[in-house]
Amino acid sequence: MRYEVDWSILARPELAALLIDGVRYTMIVAAVSTGVSLVLGTALAIARVSGSGWLRWPAELWVNLARHIPGVFWVLFFYFAFPELLPATWGSALNGWTSFALAAGIVALSVDNATYVSDIVRTGALAIPRGEWEAARCCGLSPWQQWTCCLIPVTLRTVTPPLANRTIHNFKNSSLCMVIAVPELTWATQQIESLTFRGIEATLVATLFYVTVALALGVWARRLERGGYRHWRGAGAVWRRERGELARVDSRR
Amino acid sequence: MVELISVTKRFGERTVLADVSLAVQSGEVAIVCGPSGSGKSTLLRTLNRLETIDAGDIRIDGQSLYRSGLDLRELRAKVGLVFQQCHLFSHLSALANVTMPLVKVKRLGRGEARAQALALFRQFGLERRADAFPDELSGGERQRVAIVRSLALRPKVMLLDEPTSALDWCLRAEVVANVRALASRGIAQLIVTHDLDFACAAGDRFFLLQEGRLREVDNYTLACCAPEALRGLSSVPRGRLQAVAA
Ligand SMILES: Nc1ncnc2c1ncn2[C@@H]1O[C@H](COP(=O)(O)OP(=O)(O)OP(=O)(O)O)[C@@H](O)[C@H]1O
Ligand SMILES: [Mg+2]
């Protein structure tokens, strides 16, 4: 028996709508969890390289624990177990919330991705020459300012390639949310399969979508890394304005 | 202004500063020479608490660096340190290296900070390089940007670690003039250098740091005997010293 590919089923409105919704949910899950995990992971990294043991040890413990748990477990945990851990009224409120699966999926991927982001950012921060840290301290910057004005921008520059890799990975991980019936793209393809017994067309389309977006992310990261180096360094309209003014000073000479 | 009282600093087993005492008044320029690895940079770093000391005390403006409730940020804005390797912020342009601390620490408006930074850039002949990034600057330019970055914060004490090592004779004369101008403004300066001409032209008092011990010398001794000291010979030939004394 040979499978006859029939693209026309994708033109059926209810199936097309499933796919389009799937793309939408995949993008939401991937974008939000990537954003949250970048912030969370950076905070964890700062805690891990900070001088205070009160910050360092809990963060270190957390990362080393969380890193060894499969991503899909996090998804299952936040959807099934987490509401049970809360007081009964809160738990049932969560279970009754229509977007709970989406929220649980986003939180799970954020937590999962944050541990890897924290490792990447930590390595980048440790690679900054000690002198640059000291210069930041010598200027009288507060610890917060040292991080936001010097260390994070310098670190981000060096860790752009591994962070981009991680972002691509997290984007693909969004498909894990199908186990809790978030109607994202992979879930949609399975849904189409069970409705029509024709899954290959939808799955091919989904594969094409994942590959295209991941490739685009990769290209964007390469550009950041190469040309964007300068863009990073001159980040902010203020500095750019400043450069304009200096160019004028220059041309008067 | 700056007072070190019997300061001892060890790295593990190794004693880098042994019972070092030194006082520099406002407007005074103290020069420290010594062989490589003798602890000159370490001495400067103890003065804004980048390194802590193992014994003794350090006072700036009469106040101990080891008193409880010391505001390190305030101290570091008051004590400018120019590193031997400059350590500019690699992600910021030369100008932004100077304006960023002004905006963040001194809370100046951006326009004000830029104006002050540009004025200093002109004074140091850097205005054409203001929007270059540190990796596009020459060694001498980097050094001057680092000096400007410290100066812009209007410190009361300036610590310069080999400020002329990458400068030509012409710029060196500029630095001498700037050091003297700062001195006349009442800033206490402690300068580490291997450059004896610069030392004699810029300094008021001269110190040799050797094997952890600091001793004051006059400029003749420095000029005549420091070469031996810098080469790490443990003693200076007697004949030379007598010739200097005569
Ligand atoms: N963080 C550190 N840990 C261990 N040893 C150190 C540390 N910093 C400096 N030292 C050692 O202390 C000694 C003094 O170093 P320092 O940098 O003060 O020398 P220096 O007089 O400035 O030399 P140079 O003229 O070459 O710059 C050196 O032997 C160095 O190896
Ligand atoms: Mg040194």
Side-chain angles (χ1 to χ4, degrees):
Chain A
M1 183 179 95
R2 276 182 54 110
Y3 189 92
E4 294 278 331
V5 175
D6 172 16
W7 293 106
S8 68
I9 66 153
L10 295 182
R12 280 162 57 183
E14 71 281 12
L15 300 185
L18 268 175
L19 279 183
I20 290 167
D21 255 4
V23 167
R24 219 181 71 214
Y25 276 99
T26 291
M27 293 310 263
I28 291 173
V29 169
V32 178
S33 66
T34 298
V36 173
S37 62
L38 282 178
V39 175
L40 197 65
T42 306
L44 276 171
I46 293 175
R48 289 171 76 194
V49 300
S50 87
S52 144
W54 289 107
L55 289 174
R56 194 166 67 239
W57 288 111
E60 204 64 57
L61 190 70
W62 173 254
V63 169
N64 279 299
L65 194 75
R67 189 167 40 196
H68 302 121
I69 295 176
V72 70
F73 278 38
W74 283 118
V75 178
L76 295 171
F77 170 78
F78 279 103
Y79 188 63
F80 292 112
F82 182 68
E84 302 300 321
L85 299 176
L86 296 176
T89 46
W90 295 16
S92 48
L94 270 189
N95 282 325
W97 179 28
T98 45
S99 304
F100 178 51
L102 177 65
I106 288 174
V107 171
L109 291 189
S110 304
V111 167
D112 181 54
N113 202 41
T115 56
Y116 299 96
V117 170
S118 120
D119 251 358
I120 293 169
V121 173
R122 174 173 166 274
T123 315
L126 292 180
I128 299 177
R130 192 172 67 134
E132 223 161 302
W133 292 71
E134 289 180 343
R137 282 154 73 192
C138 281
C139 289
L141 298 174
S142 69
W144 171 255
Q145 291 169 335
Q146 289 169 27
W147 277 102
T148 53
C149 301
C150 307
L151 305 175
I152 291 179
V154 175
T155 303
L156 283 185
R157 205 184 63 199
T158 53
V159 300
T160 302
L163 269 188
N165 261 343
R166 197 55 226 176
T167 300
I168 291 171
H169 202 108
N170 191 51
F171 164 69
K172 293 183 296 176
N173 267 357
S174 64
S175 61
L176 297 180
C177 292
M178 73 173 282
V179 299
I180 55 171
V182 175
E184 47 75 50
L185 190 55
T186 310
W187 181 87
T189 60
Q190 293 307 297
Q191 198 66 8
I192 291 172
E193 157 88 36
S194 57
L195 288 174
T196 62
F197 301 105
R198 304 195 67 87
I200 292 208
E201 295 82 352
T203 307
L204 280 174
V205 170
T207 308
L208 191 68
F209 172 77
Y210 283 122
V211 170
T212 313
V213 175
L215 276 177
L217 278 172
V219 169
W220 177 66
R222 285 293 293 274
R223 290 187 53 156
L224 259 189
E225 194 188 333
R226 268 193 266 120
Y229 183 35
R230 192 142 301 267
H231 168 81
W232 275 114
R233 297 197 301 185
V238 183
W239 304 136
R240 244 173 272 128
R241 232 189 300 133
E242 206 158 69
R243 294 171 127 198
E245 183 164 307
L246 280 161
R248 264 175 276 131
V249 172
D250 227 15
S251 62
R252 275 204 298 272
R253 284 173 61 100
Chain B
M1 193 73 206
V2 180
E3 242 180 314
L4 284 92
I5 304 156
S6 302
V7 169
T8 298
K9 169 73 192 170
R10 293 187 200 93
F11 285 118
E13 291 292 285
R14 199 158 163 235
T15 304
V16 179
L17 302 175
D19 199 16
V20 167
S21 294
L22 166 73
V24 186
Q25 308 304 324
S26 300
E28 216 169 33
V29 180
I31 304 279
V32 178
C33 296
S36 177
S38 59
K40 305 180 298 297
S41 300
T42 307
L43 176 69
L44 295 191
R45 290 161 57 85
T46 60
L47 285 172
N48 69 358
R49 271 197 56 177
L50 277 181
E51 303 282 0
T52 52
I53 56 178
D54 296 299
D57 195 13
I58 297 175
R59 297 205 184 122
I60 291 194
D61 243 350
Q63 300 208 293
S64 168
L65 295 198
Y66 292 89
R67 70 174 189 277
S68 58
L70 167 86
D71 184 352
L72 264 183
R73 289 185 65 191
E74 199 191 343
L75 169 77
R76 288 181 176 148
K78 198 157 74 176
V79 181
L81 171 61
V82 178
F83 293 92
Q84 197 168 359
Q85 300 89 352
C86 303
H87 298 318
L88 298 180
F89 303 127
S90 52
H91 65 300
L92 296 177
S93 69
L95 187 72
N97 258 279
V98 179
T99 54
M100 190 272 282
L102 279 178
V103 171
K104 299 290 173 189
V105 179
K106 292 280 159 173
R107 307 241 160 260
L108 294 186
R110 293 185 192 279
E112 174 72 27
R114 194 165 55 220
Q116 288 193 9
L118 277 174
L120 280 169
F121 269 54
R122 277 193 204 99
Q123 191 182 331
F124 280 79
L126 284 167
E127 67 274 31
R128 295 172 70 85
R129 307 297 293 142
D131 58 350
F133 283 88
D135 57 4
E136 301 161 343
L137 296 173
S138 76
E141 287 166 344
R142 267 202 290 275
Q143 214 156 34
R144 280 177 286 155
V145 174
I147 293 175
V148 166
R149 182 172 68 181
S150 288
L151 269 187
L153 293 169
R154 299 183 190 277
K156 291 187 175 173
V157 178
M158 277 291 276
L159 310 170
L160 303 170
D161 202 344
E162 308 205 2
T164 57
S165 59
L167 304 186
D168 63 27
W169 58 271
C170 184
L171 288 170
R172 196 170 64 177
E174 288 278 308
V175 175
V176 171
N178 281 304
V179 165
R180 295 316 315 176
L182 291 181
S184 69
R185 275 202 258 148
I187 295 177
Q189 291 171 85
L190 196 58
I191 304 179
V192 165
T193 184
H194 288 300
D195 179 347
L196 297 176
D197 294 336
F198 169 74
C200 291
D204 295 315
R205 295 168 66 198
F206 307 92
F207 298 86
L208 278 179
L209 183 64
Q210 248 179 315
E211 285 160 13
R213 310 230 160 240
L214 188 75
R215 64 190 166 105
E216 183 157 11
V217 295
D218 58 37
N219 55 348
Y220 293 109
T221 317
L222 183 79
C224 301
C225 307
E228 278 82 357
L230 295 180
R231 248 182 272 130
L233 301 180
S234 54
S235 68
V236 172
R238 277 203 156 273
R240 281 283 280 283
L241 264 181
Q242 277 156 359
V244 169

